[in-house]
Amino acid sequence: MTLPPPPVRVRTPNPLVRALRAPFELRTWKETIHLLLNMPIGIATFTIIVTGFALGFGLLITLVGIPILIAMLYVSRGMGWFERGRAKLLLDVDVPRPYRPEPTSDRWWRVPVSRLTDPATWTEIVYHLLLLPIGVITFTVASTFWVAGASLLFLPVYAWALPQPVHAFDSWVQVTLDTESHVGLVGGRYGWVIDTPVEYTALVLIGAAILLLTPWIIRGLGTANRYLVRGLLGGNVFERVQTLTDSRAAAVD
């Protein structure tokens, strides 16, 4: 009798090795790029959707708004196609098209009506509107952690070149260079003066800790973005809610 092969043991990387490797992994930087792009793309999608639909509804009484609103349905789907492609490229998530099959009738108006009554069209529009506030948050968090960590880590390298006064970060961290070429941190010129190797080392260690923590914050935001793209661009939300309701009712019965 042939014995079954022994189970394959998958070695999980040491947590310390994973932490040191995370800032250099391709996934970290792809997700960082996605989070940084959310804000400029969100500004564009929000502006296009609000301007287009406001113009269309405003001119609806003159009938000129009808072709504008129909065009906006196509524009919204084009932006949805772009966002699904961006998610696939940077977040490694393949989001299927959520739209209903379009009618094959020769009457031109059936396709716009089908798109207008498709719930996926409206969840897609909601995504385009939400991308602006979400993008502001993701851009701010990603850029703040990366810049703050790198600035502290490499402070000894460029501290000599800081002019007087210099506000290297925001109001909560003020770096100045006094007349004796010392670096003052937090509190301005007469605050905490950084002028010893121990103090520089402490700041470098804080910067390194921030840089080691940042990839995991980026991955958390990236995971949230994956759920957002799947939920609003990859399926019929109303059908999923109805399916869950039916399953709950069947379980109760």
Side-chain angles (χ1 to χ4, degrees):
M1 185 173 106
T2 304
L3 296 176
V8 179
R9 294 183 179 179
V10 179
R11 290 186 177 181
T12 57
N14 185 283
L16 180 59
V17 174
R18 292 181 60 193
L20 295 175
R21 191 174 58 188
F24 306 99
E25 290 182 346
L26 180 61
R27 173 187 173 182
T28 300
W29 291 103
K30 288 171 65 175
E31 292 179 348
T32 299
I33 293 173
H34 187 277
L35 297 177
L36 294 177
L37 288 176
N38 277 346
M39 188 174 74
I41 294 176
I43 293 174
T45 58
F46 185 92
T47 304
I48 292 172
I49 291 296
V50 171
T51 304
F53 278 97
L55 183 63
F57 283 113
L59 297 176
L60 194 59
I61 193 172
T62 65
L63 301 182
V64 178
I66 295 178
I68 295 177
L69 293 176
I70 292 175
M72 287 305 303
L73 298 178
Y74 287 88
V75 171
S76 176
R77 291 209 173 182
M79 293 190 299
W81 169 83
F82 175 81
E83 281 300 291
R84 282 187 288 272
R86 185 167 71 100
K88 183 176 182 179
L89 178 64
L90 298 177
L91 297 180
D92 296 323
V93 55
D94 193 3
V95 182
R97 288 168 51 89
Y99 313 118
R100 295 174 179 173
E102 294 185 349
T104 57
S105 173
D106 295 335
R107 299 180 180 180
W108 65 270
W109 51 269
R110 288 192 177 275
V111 173
V113 170
S114 174
R115 293 191 175 190
L116 186 64
T117 57
D118 190 348
T121 298
W122 299 105
T123 57
E124 194 172 62
I125 291 174
V126 170
Y127 174 87
H128 298 324
L129 296 175
L130 289 178
L131 190 58
L132 175 57
I134 292 173
V136 171
I137 296 173
T138 59
F139 181 92
T140 303
V141 173
S143 60
T144 299
F145 274 88
W146 281 120
V147 171
S151 299
L152 291 177
L153 180 65
F154 297 105
L155 181 61
V157 177
Y158 65 87
W160 62 271
L162 292 176
Q164 178 188 358
V166 171
H167 301 280
F169 309 124
D170 210 340
S171 58
W172 59 278
V173 178
Q174 297 179 352
V175 177
T176 62
L177 189 66
D178 63 13
T179 55
E180 298 180 0
S181 300
H182 297 160
V183 177
L185 181 65
V186 183
R189 182 184 181 89
Y190 300 103
W192 176 20
V193 178
I194 308 301
D195 57 357
T196 65
V198 175
E199 291 171 327
Y200 275 107
T201 302
L203 290 180
V204 168
L205 293 177
I206 293 174
I210 294 175
L211 289 180
L212 292 177
L213 176 64
T214 300
W216 306 105
I217 297 175
I218 295 296
R219 293 186 182 187
L221 292 175
T223 301
N225 272 246
R226 289 186 184 90
Y227 283 111
L228 181 69
V229 173
R230 287 196 188 104
L232 296 181
L233 296 182
N236 190 331
V237 176
F238 301 100
E239 288 183 359
R240 290 203 299 270
V241 171
Q242 185 62 40
T243 302
L244 292 174
T245 302
D246 294 341
S247 301
R248 179 182 179 184
V252 171
D253 291 341

